[in-house]
Structures are given as structure tokens and as C-alpha cells.
Amino acid sequence: MRRAGRRGSRFPPRRSNLAGMNAPHPAPIPFLDLNAQQARIGPKLRERMDAVLAHGQFVLGPEVAELEGRLAAFCGASHCVSVSSGTDALQIALMAEGVGRGDAVFLPAFTYTATAEVPLLLGATPVFVDVDPRTFQMDLTSLRGRIAGVKKAGRLRPRAIIGVDLFGQPADWAGLREIAAREKLFTLDDCAQSFGASLAGRRLGREADATAVSFFPSKPLGAYGDGGALFTESAERAALYRSLRTHGEGTARYEVLRIGMNGRLDTLQAAVLLAKLDVFEAEILRRDAIAAIYDAGLHDILEIPRRVPQSRSAWAVYAILLPDEVLRDAALGGLKAAGIGCAVYYPRPLHHQPAYAESHDRASLPVSERLGSRIMALPIHPDLTELQAKRVVTVLRATLEG
Ligand SMILES: *Cc1c(COP(=O)(O)O)cnc(C)c1O
């Protein structure tokens, strides 16, 4: 997910797509095209940013509170506290619970590094859990086994579950909540990739005790820099998050109640997000239409994304599975040769990363270990045209069938 948009100027000038899909040198198709989005909503963006330049309240200006209200309303959460990044949102949520040394935090092995980095920064131990082979979301059977293992070993205290809504789809929150309630664990939704998605008819934001969202530029709702937000139904937690994001301050100025951090969202980023929020729902529908084109064009030759039941994806990533590494690498090579952006999330599960080897207990997590050699992501963004999506299908089919 850490891939900001490339500048269009790196490529030859775009020709008309109507020139035909079999033109000798069709225009490249970028993996993400933030410039196209900027051209589409430019006047609104500039108006919002100019307002901040005019009033000059660059930290906790009026746009920050306005955005928090709009985001809470958008997902139906009682409280929204904006913060400086998705990673800081995760950290503040765990700091507020006092998670630290001796605590086991259960999280999927197949996710972005930030999910596991945060418990370690606080002195806690990430316990890696395997994922479902078709939805890539945390596997409940593996989770139950890992919790039982930690209890049996008796070295760590089970403390929290971080459920990750991977690639734009929700994790199995009904199942995760049931396990957390039985084991008395805090639930944190790492919704960095999936704000805007819904589960059982309601938008993500209140599935767990706290929900962390990222506004990194390439996420479904992206700022022009780092940003994030926390959602919760608890007024006490929301008050703690506000204190923690400003150095643990109390209600009086320069009263310091606890160790916090500098974790606020910039007013300029709030202004950018307000402009983008106006078109966000329409953009999710555009991504959905692109996914439908890929589904129809590819389902008979490879594994298309399996939908989580009763959900709607925010389509941060459209991930396909090839039978093996040779075919996956051929598909990557074919697309790259045709100038089509593609990526691999994630080539290596976290428990096999050098940084996490020491904290991992050596358990094997076979699904997470195999996915990295079979998975790849196709371009999916709101400014991808139907013709471009069809060309991706054509090139991929030609590569795999040719
Ligand atoms: C992007 C991401 C984060 C971190 O968000 P930042 O805003 O980049 O700090 C955390 N978890 C997951 C799953 C992510 O994809």
C-alpha cells in the first residue's frame, strides 16, 4: 500500500484510448493516478486549502473539527479523533489501554508492517495469526489456537486482538468479537486500508472497541501527506485519544496528565480530506465497477478476489491469485512490459521479516507463507477507465494463455 501516485509526466503524453486496444504503443496504465483525481476535483481542493492559508490556524484549525464531525457521520461512529497517521492511530489506541510489557497482541501475519510494529514499540509482543486462503482475512481457527497456545505457555497475558480489514474488505468481525468477549480482550480494528467498506449493511468504524484509519495518499480516502483517525463509541476513550495526541495534556493548558505524543492531523490535510470526502462514495462505486470488469474478464483463468459475506469492499487493492510463482511472475512481467502498473502485497509474511523474527515463537503459518508467491494486485482507482480495465484483462489473458 505504500505507493504514492507516479507523476504522469514520467510517461509519454497520453493518447486517446479510442485509438484501439491493439494500437502498437498504447498509453501506460498507472497503478494509481492521483493526478487524474486532482484534475477532477482541483477547484474544490484549492478553495479548501486557500481557506486554511487565509485563516492561518495550521494546527487544530476549524477544518479539523469539521472533518471529525463529517467522518463520524459518514461511518455512523459516535466519536472521531483525527491523528497524524494510521500508525499513530494504532499506537494511541493501544497506549490508551495501557498495553505494554508482558501483553500478547494477536494480529494477522499477512498485513502491512505497521500492525505489528506498534505493539512492539510499546513493549508488548505481537502473536502472529494465519489468514484465510481466499479472503486473506484473519482465520478464526488459527486465532483460537494461538490464544490457547499463549495461555498454555503462561509467559504472556492475552490482551488484545488487532483485526485487519485487508485490501478494502472487512475482517470477520462477528467472529472476532465473540472470541474477544470470551477471552476478555480489547479489540482494535486496523481499518487503514478499508475506510468506506461496509459489513452487514453498516460502514466500518464501530466493529471493534476502537477503529484506526489511515489517510496515506494511496489509501481509498487519501490526504496529500500523512494522516489518520480513530473512531470509538466510548466517550472516555475519545477523551483519552485527544489527550494522547497532544502530549497527554489535561483540560488546562500546559497541564500534563500522562505520557502522550505529538500526533495531531494538520489542518491543511483536513482541508484536503474534506474536499475528497465529498466525492468518496462516488469513487467507491467507480472502483466497484472496475472490479466487476476484472471479475468478468478473469474469473475463468485465475482466482479473483473472494468477497467476504455480507460486505461491500472499498477496493484499496484488487488482489488475484495465480497457481504458482512461475505463473505469477509471468503475469507481473507481461503487465509491466505492456506499461501496466502492478504490485505484490505482500511478498513476505511479517513473521518471516528480520525485524520480527526475534519476537516470533516459530509457529508456522502456512497460508500466509504461501500467499506471497501467488498473489498480485491489479490497478484499481476511480479514474481508471473501462477501456483501460479491459486492456488490463486483454494483456493478462494474452500473457497467461499465450
Ligand atoms: C497503511 C497501513 C497502516 C499505516 O498507516 P499510515 O497512515 O501509513 O501510518 C497500518 N496498517 C495497515 C494494514 C496499512 O495498510
PDB file of all heavy atoms in Angstrom, residues 367-382:
ATOM      1  N   VAL A 367      -0.627 -20.625   5.375  1.00  0.00           N
ATOM      2  CA  VAL A 367      -1.333 -19.852   4.341  1.00  0.00           C
ATOM      3  C   VAL A 367      -0.581 -18.548   4.074  1.00  0.00           C
ATOM      4  O   VAL A 367      -0.280 -18.202   2.926  1.00  0.00           O
ATOM      5  CB  VAL A 367      -2.798 -19.571   4.754  1.00  0.00           C
ATOM      6  CG1 VAL A 367      -3.484 -18.693   3.711  1.00  0.00           C
ATOM      7  CG2 VAL A 367      -3.559 -20.876   4.937  1.00  0.00           C
ATOM      8  N   SER A 368      -0.240 -17.833   5.150  1.00  0.00           N
ATOM      9  CA  SER A 368       0.483 -16.565   5.000  1.00  0.00           C
ATOM     10  C   SER A 368       1.822 -16.791   4.299  1.00  0.00           C
ATOM     11  O   SER A 368       2.295 -15.934   3.546  1.00  0.00           O
ATOM     12  CB  SER A 368       0.733 -15.926   6.367  1.00  0.00           C
ATOM     13  OG  SER A 368      -0.483 -15.685   7.025  1.00  0.00           O
ATOM     14  N   GLU A 369       2.438 -17.944   4.560  1.00  0.00           N
ATOM     15  CA  GLU A 369       3.752 -18.218   3.968  1.00  0.00           C
ATOM     16  C   GLU A 369       3.653 -18.494   2.463  1.00  0.00           C
ATOM     17  O   GLU A 369       4.575 -18.209   1.715  1.00  0.00           O
ATOM     18  CB  GLU A 369       4.406 -19.402   4.700  1.00  0.00           C
ATOM     19  CG  GLU A 369       4.935 -18.983   6.075  1.00  0.00           C
ATOM     20  CD  GLU A 369       5.029 -20.131   7.083  1.00  0.00           C
ATOM     21  OE1 GLU A 369       5.126 -21.298   6.653  1.00  0.00           O
ATOM     22  OE2 GLU A 369       4.988 -19.839   8.296  1.00  0.00           O
ATOM     23  N   ARG A 370       2.532 -19.069   2.026  1.00  0.00           N
ATOM     24  CA  ARG A 370       2.392 -19.403   0.600  1.00  0.00           C
ATOM     25  C   ARG A 370       1.859 -18.242  -0.242  1.00  0.00           C
ATOM     26  O   ARG A 370       2.159 -18.144  -1.429  1.00  0.00           O
ATOM     27  CB  ARG A 370       1.460 -20.603   0.432  1.00  0.00           C
ATOM     28  CG  ARG A 370       2.200 -21.929   0.312  1.00  0.00           C
ATOM     29  CD  ARG A 370       1.286 -22.994  -0.253  1.00  0.00           C
ATOM     30  NE  ARG A 370      -0.030 -22.964   0.376  1.00  0.00           N
ATOM     31  CZ  ARG A 370      -0.396 -23.771   1.382  1.00  0.00           C
ATOM     32  NH1 ARG A 370       0.431 -24.663   1.837  1.00  0.00           N
ATOM     33  NH2 ARG A 370      -1.602 -23.686   1.895  1.00  0.00           N
ATOM     34  N   LEU A 371       1.025 -17.391   0.346  1.00  0.00           N
ATOM     35  CA  LEU A 371       0.349 -16.348  -0.445  1.00  0.00           C
ATOM     36  C   LEU A 371       1.322 -15.440  -1.193  1.00  0.00           C
ATOM     37  O   LEU A 371       1.065 -15.060  -2.338  1.00  0.00           O
ATOM     38  CB  LEU A 371      -0.539 -15.485   0.459  1.00  0.00           C
ATOM     39  CG  LEU A 371      -1.913 -16.054   0.815  1.00  0.00           C
ATOM     40  CD1 LEU A 371      -2.634 -15.102   1.764  1.00  0.00           C
ATOM     41  CD2 LEU A 371      -2.748 -16.285  -0.440  1.00  0.00           C
ATOM     42  N   GLY A 372       2.441 -15.108  -0.566  1.00  0.00           N
ATOM     43  CA  GLY A 372       3.382 -14.151  -1.142  1.00  0.00           C
ATOM     44  C   GLY A 372       3.905 -14.536  -2.507  1.00  0.00           C
ATOM     45  O   GLY A 372       4.290 -13.671  -3.300  1.00  0.00           O
ATOM     46  N   SER A 373       3.913 -15.827  -2.828  1.00  0.00           N
ATOM     47  CA  SER A 373       4.442 -16.258  -4.122  1.00  0.00           C
ATOM     48  C   SER A 373       3.333 -16.399  -5.176  1.00  0.00           C
ATOM     49  O   SER A 373       3.622 -16.606  -6.346  1.00  0.00           O
ATOM     50  CB  SER A 373       5.193 -17.586  -3.968  1.00  0.00           C
ATOM     51  OG  SER A 373       4.313 -18.565  -3.459  1.00  0.00           O
ATOM     52  N   ARG A 374       2.076 -16.279  -4.765  1.00  0.00           N
ATOM     53  CA  ARG A 374       0.978 -16.487  -5.717  1.00  0.00           C
ATOM     54  C   ARG A 374       0.135 -15.234  -5.965  1.00  0.00           C
ATOM     55  O   ARG A 374      -0.662 -15.187  -6.891  1.00  0.00           O
ATOM     56  CB  ARG A 374       0.048 -17.589  -5.199  1.00  0.00           C
ATOM     57  CG  ARG A 374       0.680 -18.964  -5.109  1.00  0.00           C
ATOM     58  CD  ARG A 374      -0.359 -19.980  -4.652  1.00  0.00           C
ATOM     59  NE  ARG A 374      -1.546 -19.891  -5.482  1.00  0.00           N
ATOM     60  CZ  ARG A 374      -2.775 -20.215  -5.065  1.00  0.00           C
ATOM     61  NH1 ARG A 374      -2.970 -20.643  -3.840  1.00  0.00           N
ATOM     62  NH2 ARG A 374      -3.810 -20.111  -5.874  1.00  0.00           N
ATOM     63  N   ILE A 375       0.311 -14.222  -5.098  1.00  0.00           N
ATOM     64  CA  ILE A 375      -0.615 -13.089  -5.140  1.00  0.00           C
ATOM     65  C   ILE A 375      -0.055 -11.931  -5.968  1.00  0.00           C
ATOM     66  O   ILE A 375       1.164 -11.780  -6.108  1.00  0.00           O
ATOM     67  CB  ILE A 375      -0.918 -12.624  -3.686  1.00  0.00           C
ATOM     68  CG1 ILE A 375      -2.248 -11.887  -3.591  1.00  0.00           C
ATOM     69  CG2 ILE A 375       0.235 -11.778  -3.126  1.00  0.00           C
ATOM     70  CD1 ILE A 375      -2.775 -11.805  -2.162  1.00  0.00           C
ATOM     71  N   MET A 376      -0.937 -11.127  -6.540  1.00  0.00           N
ATOM     72  CA  MET A 376      -0.531  -9.864  -7.157  1.00  0.00           C
ATOM     73  C   MET A 376      -1.749  -8.943  -7.261  1.00  0.00           C
ATOM     74  O   MET A 376      -2.884  -9.393  -7.193  1.00  0.00           O
ATOM     75  CB  MET A 376       0.088 -10.072  -8.536  1.00  0.00           C
ATOM     76  CG  MET A 376      -0.822 -10.707  -9.550  1.00  0.00           C
ATOM     77  SD  MET A 376      -0.009 -10.903 -11.155  1.00  0.00           S
ATOM     78  CE  MET A 376      -0.175  -9.246 -11.821  1.00  0.00           C
ATOM     79  N   ALA A 377      -1.468  -7.638  -7.398  1.00  0.00           N
ATOM     80  CA  ALA A 377      -2.550  -6.646  -7.398  1.00  0.00           C
ATOM     81  C   ALA A 377      -2.614  -5.926  -8.737  1.00  0.00           C
ATOM     82  O   ALA A 377      -1.581  -5.559  -9.306  1.00  0.00           O
ATOM     83  CB  ALA A 377      -2.325  -5.636  -6.273  1.00  0.00           C
ATOM     84  N   LEU A 378      -3.833  -5.728  -9.244  1.00  0.00           N
ATOM     85  CA  LEU A 378      -4.063  -5.004 -10.496  1.00  0.00           C
ATOM     86  C   LEU A 378      -4.436  -3.555 -10.187  1.00  0.00           C
ATOM     87  O   LEU A 378      -4.922  -3.254  -9.100  1.00  0.00           O
ATOM     88  CB  LEU A 378      -5.208  -5.673 -11.274  1.00  0.00           C
ATOM     89  CG  LEU A 378      -5.013  -7.154 -11.615  1.00  0.00           C
ATOM     90  CD1 LEU A 378      -6.205  -7.683 -12.410  1.00  0.00           C
ATOM     91  CD2 LEU A 378      -3.717  -7.362 -12.400  1.00  0.00           C
ATOM     92  N   PRO A 379      -4.234  -2.654 -11.166  1.00  0.00           N
ATOM     93  CA  PRO A 379      -4.608  -1.254 -10.916  1.00  0.00           C
ATOM     94  C   PRO A 379      -6.098  -1.144 -10.621  1.00  0.00           C
ATOM     95  O   PRO A 379      -6.905  -1.773 -11.302  1.00  0.00           O
ATOM     96  CB  PRO A 379      -4.278  -0.534 -12.234  1.00  0.00           C
ATOM     97  CG  PRO A 379      -3.631  -1.516 -13.129  1.00  0.00           C
ATOM     98  CD  PRO A 379      -3.727  -2.869 -12.523  1.00  0.00           C
ATOM     99  N   ILE A 380      -6.450  -0.407  -9.575  1.00  0.00           N
ATOM    100  CA  ILE A 380      -7.866  -0.115  -9.319  1.00  0.00           C
ATOM    101  C   ILE A 380      -7.939   1.256  -8.646  1.00  0.00           C
ATOM    102  O   ILE A 380      -7.431   1.450  -7.551  1.00  0.00           O
ATOM    103  CB  ILE A 380      -8.550  -1.224  -8.494  1.00  0.00           C
ATOM    104  CG1 ILE A 380     -10.053  -0.965  -8.404  1.00  0.00           C
ATOM    105  CG2 ILE A 380      -7.928  -1.389  -7.104  1.00  0.00           C
ATOM    106  CD1 ILE A 380     -10.883  -2.197  -8.031  1.00  0.00           C
ATOM    107  N   HIS A 381      -8.467   2.229  -9.357  1.00  0.00           N
ATOM    108  CA  HIS A 381      -8.640   3.565  -8.791  1.00  0.00           C
ATOM    109  C   HIS A 381      -9.789   4.232  -9.539  1.00  0.00           C
ATOM    110  O   HIS A 381     -10.177   3.791 -10.627  1.00  0.00           O
ATOM    111  CB  HIS A 381      -7.345   4.381  -8.874  1.00  0.00           C
ATOM    112  CG  HIS A 381      -6.823   4.604 -10.248  1.00  0.00           C
ATOM    113  ND1 HIS A 381      -7.355   5.535 -11.099  1.00  0.00           N
ATOM    114  CD2 HIS A 381      -5.839   3.998 -10.952  1.00  0.00           C
ATOM    115  CE1 HIS A 381      -6.705   5.509 -12.248  1.00  0.00           C
ATOM    116  NE2 HIS A 381      -5.786   4.583 -12.188  1.00  0.00           N
ATOM    117  N   PRO A 382     -10.358   5.287  -8.958  1.00  0.00           N
ATOM    118  CA  PRO A 382     -11.604   5.838  -9.519  1.00  0.00           C
ATOM    119  C   PRO A 382     -11.450   6.466 -10.897  1.00  0.00           C
ATOM    120  O   PRO A 382     -12.448   6.666 -11.570  1.00  0.00           O
ATOM    121  CB  PRO A 382     -12.038   6.875  -8.477  1.00  0.00           C
ATOM    122  CG  PRO A 382     -10.885   7.087  -7.580  1.00  0.00           C
ATOM    123  CD  PRO A 382     -10.011   5.897  -7.665  1.00  0.00           C
TER     124      PRO A 382
END
